[in-house]
Amino acid sequence: MPKSEPQFYSRSALAEKLDMSLKELTQLMLKGGWITEASNGLELTAKGEFEGGKYRESNKYGKYIVWPDSVLEHALLRGVTESAVTVSQLLKGTNLPPRLFNRLLAELGWISPFSKGWKLTDLGKMQKGEQYENDSSGLPYVKWPRDLLSQPTIKYAFDLLNVADKPLEAEGSATAAIKTLNGFWVENIGQAKIANWLYLLGFNTSYRREFLTSDNNSVIPDFYLPEHGVVIEYWGESLKASELSDNLHKQDFYSTTALKLIEINHQQLADLDQVLSKELLHLGISVY
């Protein structure tokens, strides 16, 4: 049976297959002696040619180096799978924002905030975290083992944060209920995502706290942030007539008080981190 022709990859394509940055792969190849820096860019070394590296020409990119798929099994690159990665790399393919995941790690005591960066703690070192510093800004950040998401504590929390788009039935309850990271049982997916976000961002939050109106009726917001006088309401995809009426009643009540209202709808859940950060900033509340 004839041997199949090798497939060749540029450095950027190879870096993507290895789930690492182009800078990291370039540094690895430089240290391994496969390439060297020259006045006109990177050049192949004799060792790089031995490993299968070749030059190719492109109208767009000029001369560049490609590598056969066989290098993916080379000892130099096999070690990449065991190396530490950034949070952004770790979360690739998930819907969880890096900031929220860093907040989760801080909640576990594995990292601590430091001037818009993150410092590794002793507990984080026990989880094989590694401290780094951004070359340009000097801000600290942490890399983690690639298998961190399979760690039981992380997996449990990650599952709660990535609550499925389907309500769960609470045991012994006739109504749908979903458990949040801080132990609340909420009514729907939207409330769960908001509750988790508020908890990890460090907001003192009450759920379904009752306010009495002047006519001795009550208004019950989904979330209340007492330190900021902010209420947050989540409105699902399909509202019943009674829910629409409740919505208007709440809006009327909030307009007569000093309470500040943020309303979130189901379409905003996909960008909740950005949406809530922006809405709070409009109220003079910044988050990191």
Side-chain angles (χ1 to χ4, degrees), residues 122-138:
D122 289 339
L123 285 175
K125 291 175 184 176
M126 292 172 64
Q127 301 300 326
K128 300 181 180 178
E130 299 176 7
Q131 186 73 63
Y132 288 83
E133 183 179 284
N134 185 281
D135 292 338
S136 57
S137 68

Side-chain angles (χ1 to χ4, degrees), residues 217-233:
N217 288 317
S218 64
V219 166
I220 305 176
D222 289 336
F223 302 98
Y224 174 52
L225 281 55
E227 293 176 13
H228 304 284
V230 172
V231 292
I232 300 176
E233 298 283 5

